[in-house]
Amino acid sequence: MKACKACHYLTAESMCPNCKSTNLSTSYTGIVVILPGRDKREDPRLSSYVASRLNIDKPGKYALKVR
Ligand SMILES: [Zn+2]
């Protein structure tokens, strides 16, 4: 898995499916999983402290720190 340097999204692809960036890094620490809410379109930042701190607006797997 590689982490997107722009949005921290974790992916096995060579392009970030979240923000379409190709600036990916294999050097990252910590993984955080943001689960979808009851309503999948709901902004996770409203119900998750971690999501609001990391400014994550879509559920998925993210790296905490990307180098
Ligand atoms: Zn991204």
Side-chain angles (χ1 to χ4, degrees), residues 3-9 15-21 23-24:
C4 172
K5 285 187 181 178
C7 70
H8 291 197
Y9 194 88
M15 184 184 79
C16 173
N18 192 32
C19 69
K20 313 294 180 206
S21 167
N23 197 3
L24 307 174

Side-chain angles (χ1 to χ4, degrees), residues 3-39:
C4 172
K5 285 187 181 178
C7 70
H8 291 197
Y9 194 88
L10 285 174
T11 179
E13 315 290 319
S14 54
M15 184 184 79
C16 173
N18 192 32
C19 69
K20 313 294 180 206
S21 167
T22 52
N23 197 3
L24 307 174
S25 171
T26 51
S27 180
Y28 56 88
T29 52
I31 291 175
V32 61
V33 179
I34 303 298
L35 299 170
R38 247 172 264 151
D39 181 347

Side-chain angles (χ1 to χ4, degrees), residues 37-47 57 59:
R38 247 172 264 151
D39 181 347
K40 285 188 170 49
R41 288 159 303 171
E42 185 188 288
D43 191 331
R45 287 174 295 190
L46 298 176
S47 51
D57 60 5

